[in-house]
Amino acid sequence: MDSQYVPTGIPGVDKALADQGIPRGHTILIAGGPGSGKTTFATQFLYKGATEYGEPAVYITLDEDPEDMKKNMSKFGWDLDQLEREKKLIFINVSPVRVGPTEKAGLVQLGMKEFKLIKLLEAIRTGIEQVQAKRVVIDPITIFTLQYPDETERIYAMRDLIADFRKTGCTNLLISELKGTGLEREHQFEEYLAQGVILLRTIIKGEKLVRMFQVAKMRGLAVDTQPRPYEITDDGIQVYPTLTVFQ
Amino acid sequence: MDSQYVPTGIPGVDKALADQGIPRGHTILIAGGPGSGKTTFATQFLYKGATEYGEPAVYITLDEDPEDMKKNMSKFGWDLDQLEREKKLIFINVSPVRVGPTEKAGLVQLGMKEFKLIKLLEAIRTGIEQVQAKRVVIDPITIFTLQYPDETERIYAMRDLIADFRKTGCTNLLISELKGTGLEREHQFEEYLAQGVILLRTIIKGEKLVRMFQVAKMRGLAVDTQPRPYEITDDGIQVYPTLTVFQ
Amino acid sequence: MDSQYVPTGIPGVDKALADQGIPRGHTILIAGGPGSGKTTFATQFLYKGATEYGEPAVYITLDEDPEDMKKNMSKFGWDLDQLEREKKLIFINVSPVRVGPTEKAGLVQLGMKEFKLIKLLEAIRTGIEQVQAKRVVIDPITIFTLQYPDETERIYAMRDLIADFRKTGCTNLLISELKGTGLEREHQFEEYLAQGVILLRTIIKGEKLVRMFQVAKMRGLAVDTQPRPYEITDDGIQVYPTLTVFQ
Amino acid sequence: MDSQYVPTGIPGVDKALADQGIPRGHTILIAGGPGSGKTTFATQFLYKGATEYGEPAVYITLDEDPEDMKKNMSKFGWDLDQLEREKKLIFINVSPVRVGPTEKAGLVQLGMKEFKLIKLLEAIRTGIEQVQAKRVVIDPITIFTLQYPDETERIYAMRDLIADFRKTGCTNLLISELKGTGLEREHQFEEYLAQGVILLRTIIKGEKLVRMFQVAKMRGLAVDTQPRPYEITDDGIQVYPTLTVFQ
Amino acid sequence: MDSQYVPTGIPGVDKALADQGIPRGHTILIAGGPGSGKTTFATQFLYKGATEYGEPAVYITLDEDPEDMKKNMSKFGWDLDQLEREKKLIFINVSPVRVGPTEKAGLVQLGMKEFKLIKLLEAIRTGIEQVQAKRVVIDPITIFTLQYPDETERIYAMRDLIADFRKTGCTNLLISELKGTGLEREHQFEEYLAQGVILLRTIIKGEKLVRMFQVAKMRGLAVDTQPRPYEITDDGIQVYPTLTVFQ
Amino acid sequence: MDSQYVPTGIPGVDKALADQGIPRGHTILIAGGPGSGKTTFATQFLYKGATEYGEPAVYITLDEDPEDMKKNMSKFGWDLDQLEREKKLIFINVSPVRVGPTEKAGLVQLGMKEFKLIKLLEAIRTGIEQVQAKRVVIDPITIFTLQYPDETERIYAMRDLIADFRKTGCTNLLISELKGTGLEREHQFEEYLAQGVILLRTIIKGEKLVRMFQVAKMRGLAVDTQPRPYEITDDGIQVYPTLTVFQ
């Protein structure tokens, strides 16, 4: 039977998550700036799940071509094509753009401004069924929320998405783009709706910029909420859960 | 007969409240960022009320499934299901979303954008009658205020809600989401309308982020308004009412 | 005959007001954040006026039930009910909400969005006549200005209110809610229209938050404009007019 | 014949103005926060002009009753009533509010929102003719600019006002309300249109707030633009043109 | 034949411009706050051009009467009337206001809101023809951009203006008003369109405000981009190109 | 056959790019303020590509006349005219302004507000075909995004542009204008859409402004993300990839 927590398999992260992982079935926001390694974090989560924990996965891209993404991730030594062939991973592109007939299977084709919640949910369900997925990533959720200029509708749409996710039993990551760079900032509404929030930011420490990992919120788990340094190494994300980032 | 003050039962909090508690019948805002323990604070207030002070309670959730919430809170050793069976606590879900027939009893079913003050008040009254409640929580109030894009109407709706609450005789917590992270901030309008405001924030102190509890306002009681450190321990919220957070 | 200045009777305040008080007939803004003691300041001003200086008073509440207010203020040892019975003080509730028939006398009943200047002025005049008042408080003025979303109309309405106040001969306090918490801030338009402005704020001094009283403006009187510490004691507001708040 | 510069007569100010004064015929903005002494500065300029330099004056009030103003100013020992009787000074109230028949002569009666440039110009010309004025004050100009919500029209209206002022040959002060309190701030559009700008602000220096006078701009004159401390004494504004306010 | 660079003749400026000057034919933004000496800088550029480098000039004023301007500048010992008589300089007033018949020649008369690009270009061309100008100033460009509330149209209009300027072969200064006072600021769109940007600002250095000159951008020339102190002396602008303003 | 990475040939930059260069086929944002050397960076990238790496190039200008640009760049010793004659480089001006018949070939003529994605794509394809280009620059992209005031459409248009670029196989630079000057800033939406982001900014270090180069994001490559000093020398951009900019 499934355990109550889902290990991420990312070095240092599970230690910060009370030596457990993400509470099973929760939807977690991975929020960071450009170049912070959000996609690397999410891919590593799925790759480790598929190869080490026997949990198949769905990666839903809203912004990047899956072939490009797989190529970019190959530098970490993760053979995503092989996982796809073994039906342990499926990439689904639900970009809301007009695309030509040469695009690969698994594509949901949508015109501009027609990209609605129902289509995204269909793609999620189809993907989960095809590989019996236990883990799902949506990258980035920003493209989805852009469809709803009205604030109330946007919040409801995100709530519905998370509620639907809850029913699938999968553990999910939503990639979210931080608006600004400072330590002091406005919260983004998704942070209140998701069951957990992991921030990937940078601060100046002495003569250097330092990458800073923080579990800002994790419902149902007593986590370490201190910011911790992390790096993007040749093997992917590496968090240092016992080091501090403030002088 | 009821005493004039309602002890929260949360370690360190009543000491900050002049060794008394919250003035009976008042509506208090619990405001904090994501992951600050607002829901833990509110649940602890109700749990302690029901188990130690003989005060039954209503927990109105506008954002989270009660089953999820109870599970998340179980890590603190609070058996909320047992309290429900003993009619000492009732959870009411008044989420303004379309929900299926498998949802549990106590649900007020509302379509999007139809979620109005009258429905929320009905839910509150029904809940109070069912368990003869003395304590009520609404979590989060943000979902309610979102219904009123016009500022004046929003303030009136919140005033009406608090005025109605006043008539029930219950002592109430409204969970409120802080917009930003800095010490310097804009006040949110609810802070002026509620009879008390408790802030749950964080600051950087030396090498660490420190959680900071502050009773910013408490009508009718001479309280300690200094910020004090707090933690979320295995037993719930713990405030340290004699320690300082600055320097 | 009336003297030219009206002593507040609040310890330390009159010393900051050139050992005099507020210029008679002026309308003063008392501006502060939630929990800053604005209502305590205003009540103390009226209580001292009625009990020590023979000046009856009108307290117009726009936000809080007078019974609640009197109860909250009773902790300072001020018997407001007794003053009401002696016709030295009258509370008038002009909340712009629908209220039931059990509300007490002195109430001006208004529907939402019908709350206009003329009604407020009628309430003021009625109150002044009933007790031959010399002092008036409106708490908070924010509810009044909310009626005027257009900036020009809002400023005109406030000007008319202050001009009308001027004709009554009473000395008046308008309770105003500060938008933000920082020392650097945008001025609120009322500060330019009122004849005086007293700010109740907080700053961090060493290891503590310190309450900070400041007479920012007082037409017709050479006042001490330095910020001075204040406390809310068991006897009400206490200003320390010879201490400094910086470093 | 008139000299090229108009001495203000305010202690310390003419020294900061290259030992000269304001270039004759220029329109200068006096900008400061509430309580900064803007009205005192302007009245002192007119009083000194009328009593020491033989220059009659017009004081146009848009916000305050002239009787109140004269009373408030009497604490500095300036007998403005006497100057009025001697036809050396005239107060004109062009407040855009409905006023009763008991108001004093010199009043331009306007309904709300009917207050336009043409009326203000008429009042200015009438006043100048009556006393053969050489100096004019408008206090505050904010009430005038409020009539023009469109930015372009507002700037044109202010340009027209200043151009018209130029033709009268008078030296003029426009009282302007600063929006915020910080040293770093957005410029207000009037600062670019006026021929000179004098700022009255405050900064924290050591343990105290210090009032800070600064000639930010003075076309046609090489002025001292360093901020200098000033006080509001029993005799009015006193600038200390050789002291520094920083460090 | 014309050399490739146009010396400004302003002490210290040409040294900061790689000992050359402004690239011939370029349009440079002179941006500063009120009182920063923008008009002095521009007049000095034209005066030196006409008297020392044999380059006639056109000064287009959008905000100030040319007679006033010439008078204000006379304090630097620049006889602009003489230059006008010698046909080495022409002032053109294209203020978008109604003006009377007594205004001097060279005036383009425009009603409010009718001030368009085509009229400004006509004025420029007429002026250039009359004196065979090599240098042109528009002071301030803000009045021009105000005509275009739509951001895209405003940028296009400014691009067209600069492109047209390019065809005249003249070297041009556009006077631009900075919105705020801080070192950290939003860029104004003109800074990207102009071929060069010179900033005139102030910073606090020790006990004083110091004026700070900076060549932020100069296409086609390797310039010194360090901020340098400057003063407004009896002879006009003086930049100190080897001194520093920080520390 | 083409290698996987494209060396920029700019001193110090390829070292910061993992001793490789830009991943082939990616679209990189070059973002900086006015005068930061964005155009120099892009031209140097194309010049080095054409002269040292055998990669022909297309430079699409949206803001500046190609002749001006070539002249401005000539100071670095880059003979762009010669490259054009050798069919190794082509400049295409797609400025959305009305232009006369004397403009040079390669011009796409557009009326105001008619400048759409399709026209830009046509210009790109035409240019690539003419020189068999491997590198493309668009300078600046801001003019393109201005066409789309609606945020969602703007993001879609940029996504489509980048997706189309991807199909050409070329490696591309998009010149982007930073809105503000501070280290703490709001991210611009293009930073999330581009496959890489290089920032060209300045900070104050000791007594000087220092230019600061930073690879903020580079998909598919483990890069050095530390800010590094750079200069604009007589030979173009020079990055110092082993020096630090902080402290």
Short mmCIF file of all heavy atoms in Angstrom, two decimals, chain A residues 198-241:
data_model
loop_
_atom_site.label_atom_id
_atom_site.label_comp_id
_atom_site.label_asym_id
_atom_site.label_seq_id
_atom_site.Cartn_x
_atom_site.Cartn_y
_atom_site.Cartn_z
N ILE A 198 7.09 25.79 -2.10
CA ILE A 198 8.55 25.75 -2.04
C ILE A 198 9.08 26.90 -2.88
O ILE A 198 8.70 27.05 -4.04
CB ILE A 198 9.09 24.39 -2.54
CG1 ILE A 198 8.75 23.30 -1.52
CG2 ILE A 198 10.60 24.46 -2.79
CD1 ILE A 198 9.11 21.89 -1.97
N LEU A 199 9.92 27.74 -2.27
CA LEU A 199 10.46 28.91 -2.96
C LEU A 199 11.90 28.65 -3.37
O LEU A 199 12.70 28.13 -2.60
CB LEU A 199 10.41 30.14 -2.04
CG LEU A 199 9.05 30.56 -1.53
CD1 LEU A 199 9.18 31.66 -0.46
CD2 LEU A 199 8.16 31.07 -2.67
N LEU A 200 12.24 29.03 -4.61
CA LEU A 200 13.60 28.95 -5.12
C LEU A 200 14.03 30.37 -5.47
O LEU A 200 13.62 30.92 -6.48
CB LEU A 200 13.67 28.05 -6.37
CG LEU A 200 13.20 26.60 -6.18
CD1 LEU A 200 13.23 25.86 -7.51
CD2 LEU A 200 14.06 25.88 -5.15
N ARG A 201 14.83 30.99 -4.60
CA ARG A 201 15.22 32.39 -4.80
C ARG A 201 16.73 32.58 -4.69
O ARG A 201 17.47 31.60 -4.55
CB ARG A 201 14.50 33.26 -3.77
CG ARG A 201 12.98 33.23 -3.96
CD ARG A 201 12.27 34.15 -3.02
NE ARG A 201 12.32 33.65 -1.65
CZ ARG A 201 11.85 34.30 -0.59
NH1 ARG A 201 11.28 35.48 -0.76
NH2 ARG A 201 11.92 33.80 0.60
N THR A 202 17.19 33.82 -4.75
CA THR A 202 18.62 34.10 -4.57
C THR A 202 18.76 35.29 -3.62
O THR A 202 17.91 36.17 -3.58
CB THR A 202 19.31 34.49 -5.89
OG1 THR A 202 18.60 35.56 -6.49
CG2 THR A 202 19.40 33.33 -6.84
N ILE A 203 19.84 35.30 -2.84
CA ILE A 203 20.19 36.48 -2.07
C ILE A 203 21.69 36.73 -2.21
O ILE A 203 22.45 35.83 -2.58
CB ILE A 203 19.86 36.36 -0.57
CG1 ILE A 203 20.57 35.14 0.03
CG2 ILE A 203 18.39 36.33 -0.31
CD1 ILE A 203 20.62 35.21 1.55
N ILE A 204 22.10 37.96 -1.93
CA ILE A 204 23.51 38.29 -1.92
C ILE A 204 24.08 37.94 -0.55
O ILE A 204 23.55 38.37 0.47
CB ILE A 204 23.72 39.80 -2.18
CG1 ILE A 204 23.15 40.16 -3.55
CG2 ILE A 204 25.20 40.16 -2.11
CD1 ILE A 204 23.15 41.65 -3.83
N LYS A 205 25.11 37.11 -0.53
CA LYS A 205 25.76 36.71 0.72
C LYS A 205 27.25 36.95 0.55
O LYS A 205 27.89 36.25 -0.22
CB LYS A 205 25.47 35.24 1.02
CG LYS A 205 25.99 34.79 2.37
CD LYS A 205 25.65 33.34 2.65
CE LYS A 205 26.24 32.92 3.99
NZ LYS A 205 25.87 31.53 4.33
N GLY A 206 27.76 37.96 1.25
CA GLY A 206 29.16 38.31 1.06
C GLY A 206 29.41 38.75 -0.37
O GLY A 206 28.76 39.67 -0.86
N GLU A 207 30.30 38.11 -1.06
CA GLU A 207 30.67 38.53 -2.41
C GLU A 207 29.86 37.82 -3.49
O GLU A 207 30.15 37.97 -4.66
CB GLU A 207 32.16 38.26 -2.65
CG GLU A 207 33.08 39.10 -1.77
CD GLU A 207 34.48 39.15 -2.33
OE1 GLU A 207 34.78 38.36 -3.23
OE2 GLU A 207 35.27 40.00 -1.87
N LYS A 208 28.90 37.00 -3.10
CA LYS A 208 28.23 36.15 -4.09
C LYS A 208 26.72 36.19 -4.00
O LYS A 208 26.15 36.47 -2.96
CB LYS A 208 28.67 34.69 -3.87
CG LYS A 208 30.14 34.41 -4.06
CD LYS A 208 30.45 32.93 -3.88
CE LYS A 208 29.77 32.08 -4.95
NZ LYS A 208 30.19 30.65 -4.87
N LEU A 209 26.09 35.87 -5.12
CA LEU A 209 24.70 35.50 -5.10
C LEU A 209 24.61 34.05 -4.63
O LEU A 209 25.37 33.20 -5.09
CB LEU A 209 24.10 35.58 -6.51
CG LEU A 209 23.66 36.93 -7.05
CD1 LEU A 209 22.86 36.72 -8.33
CD2 LEU A 209 22.79 37.67 -6.04
N VAL A 210 23.70 33.76 -3.73
CA VAL A 210 23.51 32.39 -3.26
C VAL A 210 22.08 31.97 -3.56
O VAL A 210 21.15 32.74 -3.34
CB VAL A 210 23.79 32.29 -1.74
CG1 VAL A 210 23.46 30.91 -1.20
CG2 VAL A 210 25.23 32.63 -1.46
N ARG A 211 21.91 30.76 -4.08
CA ARG A 211 20.56 30.23 -4.32
C ARG A 211 19.97 29.79 -2.99
O ARG A 211 20.67 29.20 -2.17
CB ARG A 211 20.63 29.05 -5.29
CG ARG A 211 21.08 29.41 -6.69
CD ARG A 211 21.01 28.18 -7.58
NE ARG A 211 21.56 28.39 -8.90
CZ ARG A 211 20.88 28.92 -9.93
NH1 ARG A 211 19.64 29.32 -9.75
NH2 ARG A 211 21.46 29.05 -11.11
N MET A 212 18.70 30.05 -2.79
CA MET A 212 18.07 29.87 -1.49
C MET A 212 16.77 29.07 -1.65
O MET A 212 15.83 29.51 -2.31
CB MET A 212 17.77 31.26 -0.93
CG MET A 212 17.13 31.29 0.40
SD MET A 212 17.02 33.04 0.98
CE MET A 212 15.35 33.43 0.43
N PHE A 213 16.75 27.88 -1.02
CA PHE A 213 15.60 26.98 -1.05
C PHE A 213 14.81 27.17 0.24
O PHE A 213 15.41 27.24 1.31
CB PHE A 213 16.12 25.54 -1.17
CG PHE A 213 15.13 24.45 -0.86
CD1 PHE A 213 14.40 23.85 -1.88
CD2 PHE A 213 14.94 24.01 0.44
CE1 PHE A 213 13.49 22.84 -1.59
CE2 PHE A 213 14.03 23.00 0.73
CZ PHE A 213 13.30 22.41 -0.29
N GLN A 214 13.49 27.25 0.16
CA GLN A 214 12.70 27.40 1.38
C GLN A 214 11.34 26.72 1.25
O GLN A 214 10.61 26.94 0.29
CB GLN A 214 12.49 28.89 1.72
CG GLN A 214 11.78 29.09 3.05
CD GLN A 214 11.41 30.53 3.32
OE1 GLN A 214 11.52 31.37 2.44
NE2 GLN A 214 10.95 30.82 4.52
N VAL A 215 11.05 25.88 2.23
CA VAL A 215 9.70 25.30 2.30
C VAL A 215 8.86 26.29 3.09
O VAL A 215 8.90 26.32 4.32
CB VAL A 215 9.71 23.92 2.99
CG1 VAL A 215 8.30 23.33 2.97
CG2 VAL A 215 10.70 22.98 2.33
N ALA A 216 8.13 27.16 2.39
CA ALA A 216 7.40 28.22 3.07
C ALA A 216 6.12 27.68 3.70
O ALA A 216 5.60 28.25 4.66
CB ALA A 216 7.07 29.34 2.08
N LYS A 217 5.62 26.59 3.19
CA LYS A 217 4.33 26.06 3.66
C LYS A 217 4.25 24.59 3.27
O LYS A 217 4.64 24.23 2.16
CB LYS A 217 3.21 26.86 2.97
CG LYS A 217 1.80 26.31 3.11
CD LYS A 217 0.81 27.18 2.35
CE LYS A 217 -0.61 26.66 2.39
NZ LYS A 217 -1.55 27.55 1.69
N MET A 218 3.76 23.74 4.16
CA MET A 218 3.55 22.33 3.84
C MET A 218 2.49 21.80 4.78
O MET A 218 2.79 21.37 5.90
CB MET A 218 4.88 21.56 3.99
CG MET A 218 4.91 20.19 3.34
SD MET A 218 4.55 20.12 1.55
CE MET A 218 5.89 21.09 0.87
N ARG A 219 1.23 21.87 4.34
CA ARG A 219 0.14 21.42 5.20
C ARG A 219 0.32 19.96 5.60
O ARG A 219 0.71 19.14 4.77
CB ARG A 219 -1.20 21.58 4.48
CG ARG A 219 -1.74 22.98 4.50
CD ARG A 219 -3.15 23.01 3.94
NE ARG A 219 -3.61 24.40 3.76
CZ ARG A 219 -4.55 24.76 2.92
NH1 ARG A 219 -5.17 23.85 2.17
NH2 ARG A 219 -4.91 26.03 2.81
N GLY A 220 0.03 19.66 6.85
CA GLY A 220 0.05 18.27 7.31
C GLY A 220 1.43 17.73 7.61
O GLY A 220 1.59 16.52 7.79
N LEU A 221 2.44 18.57 7.69
CA LEU A 221 3.79 18.10 7.96
C LEU A 221 4.56 19.20 8.67
O LEU A 221 4.50 20.36 8.26
CB LEU A 221 4.48 17.74 6.64
CG LEU A 221 5.79 16.95 6.73
CD1 LEU A 221 5.56 15.58 7.36
CD2 LEU A 221 6.39 16.78 5.35
N ALA A 222 5.25 18.83 9.75
CA ALA A 222 6.07 19.81 10.48
C ALA A 222 7.42 19.91 9.79
O ALA A 222 8.29 19.07 9.99
CB ALA A 222 6.24 19.36 11.94
N VAL A 223 7.59 20.92 8.96
CA VAL A 223 8.78 21.02 8.12
C VAL A 223 9.75 22.06 8.66
O VAL A 223 9.42 22.87 9.51
CB VAL A 223 8.38 21.41 6.67
CG1 VAL A 223 7.55 20.30 6.05
CG2 VAL A 223 7.65 22.73 6.66
N ASP A 224 10.95 22.00 8.10
CA ASP A 224 11.96 23.04 8.37
C ASP A 224 11.69 24.21 7.43
O ASP A 224 11.82 24.08 6.22
CB ASP A 224 13.35 22.45 8.09
CG ASP A 224 14.42 23.53 8.06
OD1 ASP A 224 14.24 24.58 8.72
OD2 ASP A 224 15.43 23.33 7.37
N THR A 225 11.28 25.35 7.99
CA THR A 225 10.94 26.49 7.12
C THR A 225 12.10 27.46 6.96
O THR A 225 11.95 28.51 6.35
CB THR A 225 9.72 27.25 7.67
OG1 THR A 225 10.04 27.71 8.98
CG2 THR A 225 8.50 26.37 7.71
N GLN A 226 13.28 27.12 7.51
CA GLN A 226 14.44 28.00 7.32
C GLN A 226 14.91 27.95 5.86
O GLN A 226 14.93 26.89 5.26
CB GLN A 226 15.61 27.56 8.22
CG GLN A 226 15.39 27.81 9.69
CD GLN A 226 15.17 29.28 10.01
OE1 GLN A 226 15.84 30.15 9.46
NE2 GLN A 226 14.20 29.56 10.86
N PRO A 227 15.30 29.09 5.31
CA PRO A 227 15.92 29.08 3.97
C PRO A 227 17.25 28.32 4.03
O PRO A 227 18.01 28.48 4.98
CB PRO A 227 16.16 30.56 3.68
CG PRO A 227 15.28 31.31 4.62
CD PRO A 227 15.17 30.46 5.84
N ARG A 228 17.50 27.51 3.03
CA ARG A 228 18.71 26.71 2.94
C ARG A 228 19.35 26.91 1.58
O ARG A 228 18.64 27.05 0.58
CB ARG A 228 18.37 25.21 3.10
CG ARG A 228 17.63 24.85 4.38
CD ARG A 228 18.47 25.11 5.60
NE ARG A 228 17.76 24.80 6.84
CZ ARG A 228 18.26 25.04 8.04
NH1 ARG A 228 19.44 25.62 8.17
NH2 ARG A 228 17.58 24.74 9.11
N PRO A 229 20.68 26.91 1.50
CA PRO A 229 21.32 27.07 0.18
C PRO A 229 21.08 25.84 -0.71
O PRO A 229 20.92 24.73 -0.22
CB PRO A 229 22.80 27.20 0.52
CG PRO A 229 22.96 26.67 1.90
CD PRO A 229 21.66 26.83 2.59
N TYR A 230 21.02 26.08 -2.02
CA TYR A 230 20.96 24.95 -2.96
C TYR A 230 21.79 25.30 -4.19
O TYR A 230 22.14 26.46 -4.40
CB TYR A 230 19.52 24.61 -3.34
CG TYR A 230 18.86 25.54 -4.36
CD1 TYR A 230 18.80 25.21 -5.72
CD2 TYR A 230 18.26 26.73 -3.95
CE1 TYR A 230 18.19 26.04 -6.64
CE2 TYR A 230 17.65 27.56 -4.87
CZ TYR A 230 17.61 27.22 -6.20
OH TYR A 230 17.00 28.05 -7.10
N GLU A 231 22.14 24.29 -4.95
CA GLU A 231 22.89 24.45 -6.19
C GLU A 231 22.25 23.64 -7.29
O GLU A 231 21.51 22.69 -7.03
CB GLU A 231 24.34 23.98 -5.99
CG GLU A 231 25.16 24.88 -5.08
CD GLU A 231 26.60 24.39 -4.94
OE1 GLU A 231 26.83 23.17 -5.06
OE2 GLU A 231 27.48 25.23 -4.71
N ILE A 232 22.54 24.04 -8.51
CA ILE A 232 22.16 23.19 -9.65
C ILE A 232 23.46 22.55 -10.12
O ILE A 232 24.32 23.20 -10.72
CB ILE A 232 21.51 24.01 -10.77
CG1 ILE A 232 20.32 24.81 -10.20
CG2 ILE A 232 21.04 23.09 -11.90
CD1 ILE A 232 19.60 25.69 -11.21
N THR A 233 23.65 21.27 -9.79
CA THR A 233 24.90 20.57 -10.10
C THR A 233 24.74 19.75 -11.39
O THR A 233 23.69 19.78 -12.02
CB THR A 233 25.27 19.61 -8.95
OG1 THR A 233 24.37 18.50 -9.01
CG2 THR A 233 25.14 20.29 -7.60
N ASP A 234 25.76 19.01 -11.74
CA ASP A 234 25.69 18.14 -12.92
C ASP A 234 24.63 17.05 -12.76
O ASP A 234 24.21 16.44 -13.74
CB ASP A 234 27.05 17.46 -13.16
CG ASP A 234 28.08 18.47 -13.65
OD1 ASP A 234 27.70 19.61 -13.97
OD2 ASP A 234 29.27 18.10 -13.72
N ASP A 235 24.23 16.80 -11.50
CA ASP A 235 23.24 15.76 -11.25
C ASP A 235 21.85 16.33 -10.95
O ASP A 235 20.95 15.58 -10.58
CB ASP A 235 23.70 14.89 -10.07
CG ASP A 235 25.05 14.25 -10.34
OD1 ASP A 235 25.27 13.80 -11.48
OD2 ASP A 235 25.89 14.22 -9.42
N GLY A 236 21.70 17.63 -11.06
CA GLY A 236 20.40 18.25 -10.78
C GLY A 236 20.45 19.11 -9.53
O GLY A 236 21.52 19.57 -9.12
N ILE A 237 19.28 19.29 -8.93
CA ILE A 237 19.17 20.15 -7.73
C ILE A 237 19.82 19.45 -6.54
O ILE A 237 19.64 18.25 -6.34
CB ILE A 237 17.68 20.43 -7.40
CG1 ILE A 237 16.96 21.12 -8.56
CG2 ILE A 237 17.56 21.23 -6.09
CD1 ILE A 237 17.27 22.57 -8.73
N GLN A 238 20.56 20.23 -5.75
CA GLN A 238 21.16 19.74 -4.50
C GLN A 238 20.90 20.79 -3.43
O GLN A 238 21.41 21.91 -3.52
CB GLN A 238 22.68 19.55 -4.70
CG GLN A 238 23.49 19.40 -3.42
CD GLN A 238 23.42 18.00 -2.83
OE1 GLN A 238 23.68 17.01 -3.53
NE2 GLN A 238 23.02 17.89 -1.58
N VAL A 239 20.08 20.42 -2.42
CA VAL A 239 19.80 21.33 -1.31
C VAL A 239 20.71 20.96 -0.13
O VAL A 239 21.00 19.78 0.09
CB VAL A 239 18.31 21.24 -0.90
CG1 VAL A 239 18.04 22.06 0.37
CG2 VAL A 239 17.43 21.73 -2.04
N TYR A 240 21.20 21.98 0.60
CA TYR A 240 22.04 21.74 1.77
C TYR A 240 21.24 22.04 3.01
O TYR A 240 21.22 23.18 3.49
CB TYR A 240 23.31 22.59 1.68
CG TYR A 240 24.10 22.27 0.42
CD1 TYR A 240 23.97 23.03 -0.73
CD2 TYR A 240 24.94 21.15 0.38
CE1 TYR A 240 24.65 22.71 -1.88
CE2 TYR A 240 25.64 20.83 -0.78
CZ TYR A 240 25.50 21.61 -1.91
OH TYR A 240 26.16 21.27 -3.04
N PRO A 241 20.56 21.05 3.55
CA PRO A 241 19.51 21.30 4.56
C PRO A 241 20.05 21.65 5.94
O PRO A 241 19.26 21.92 6.84
CB PRO A 241 18.74 19.98 4.61
CG PRO A 241 19.71 18.95 4.15
CD PRO A 241 20.66 19.62 3.22
#
